[in-house]
Amino acid sequence: MDVVEVTEGKTRFFVPRQDPHLQFPPGSGPVFYNSRMELNRDSTVLLLSALRPESYLDAMGASGVRGLRVAHEVGIPVTINDWNTKAVDLIRQNVEALDLAAEVTHGDANVLMSGRKFDAVDLDPFGTPAPFVDSAARSAGNYLFVTATDTAPLCGAHLKAGMRRYFSRPKNTEYHAEVGLRTLMGFVVREVIKYDRGVEPLFCYAHEHFHRLHLRLRYGAAVADRALARLGYVMQCGDCLYRTEQTGMLPDPEKCPLCGADLVPVGPLWTGRINDDRTLSAMQMVLPSVTAGTGPRIARLLATCRQELDTSSHYDYHVIAKHLRVSPGGIGTVIERLSALGYRASRAHYSGTAIKTDAPLRVLEKVVSGG
């Protein structure tokens, strides 16, 4: 295998040489490595540096870089698994080169997670994590981390695939990143609560081509019931920009109060908070001591997430301005005016034109239009 040396954080490791002329260079190597996911891995190293779990499983290691970094930079017991013999050989070479005590296993991730327990379990597959979440929910002691890169099914662009994989009906709206993140969250919650376990989001975000969940798991039917109570729907008008939220297993029919059209249920999905402020604060405190190539971007992400409202959708103020045929002011001005009127308003971490607010749509339209 032709390999090259790469450095992420404090960790130097070898990965297969890729063809930079291809549309998707990571797919050209015999073992998968995607440099564009560095922020994802940096944020996990940062979070684990704050949480310090007793053990950690990188269930689908591929190049093994995530597990290598956790073992080398966080210093907690790590197991790295993959089904691909070439991947396992490469991971073992990197473990030896770094002189790590990490365990490397070769096998099916579902089989491994069905037979062993780990304090923290991390799913980072190529595409959907859906086939692995059930076994991960049984294997994880206190923490479950999940990445999904199949954003089109999650966001409603590939509707039938989203329905098959996540037992939800997403809708391709202007707030599709939020829909995708909360659809994934809703699916994971449903897989966990059937074991009488609750879910507490710690740090969950959407970024570019992936969605990422960092969750704390709790034991007991009561905490499972509290998680169940946060499942619901975004009720979106098909004719105008109005939307609202419902909690519950099944949506109740509603009419749009502005235009009278039927509201279309989007979900089921998670309607609760997606971040824990104490965890984000702890990550901000640890960040200066962590070597992260994407550190400035993570700092901005954490700051935005800490002030972001917990609504399950946002309004794109450019979409509103286009609908009203006006030229909008800056997003900061819009948020300031909403706050001055007594409403809560914030940016969203995944879009520069997204506004989350509890203001009625008519009020938001008036502010955007400058009225």
Side-chain angles (χ1 to χ4, degrees), residues 7-11 33 35-43 45-46 69 73 287-300:
T7 300
E8 279 190 17
K10 296 179 180 178
T11 307
Y33 167 72
S35 60
R36 288 182 60 194
M37 296 294 277
E38 184 177 2
L39 181 141
N40 186 316
R41 293 185 287 266
D42 279 349
S43 63
V45 168
L46 174 61
R69 291 193 58 190
E73 299 174 41
L287 182 57
S289 65
V290 172
T291 301
T294 64
R297 292 160 61 192
I298 291 177
R300 292 192 296 271

Side-chain angles (χ1 to χ4, degrees), residues 235-239 253-256 259-265:
M235 305 296 289
Q236 175 66 55
C237 181
D239 291 347
E254 279 191 67
K255 296 284 186 180
C256 176
C259 70
D262 291 333
L263 298 186
V264 179

Side-chain angles (χ1 to χ4, degrees), residues 226-247:
R226 287 198 291 271
L228 175 62
R230 301 314 307 164
L231 295 177
Y233 298 81
V234 174
M235 305 296 289
Q236 175 66 55
C237 181
D239 291 347
C240 74
L241 297 178
Y242 177 83
R243 78 287 305 260
T244 187
E245 297 180 23
Q246 279 190 22
T247 56

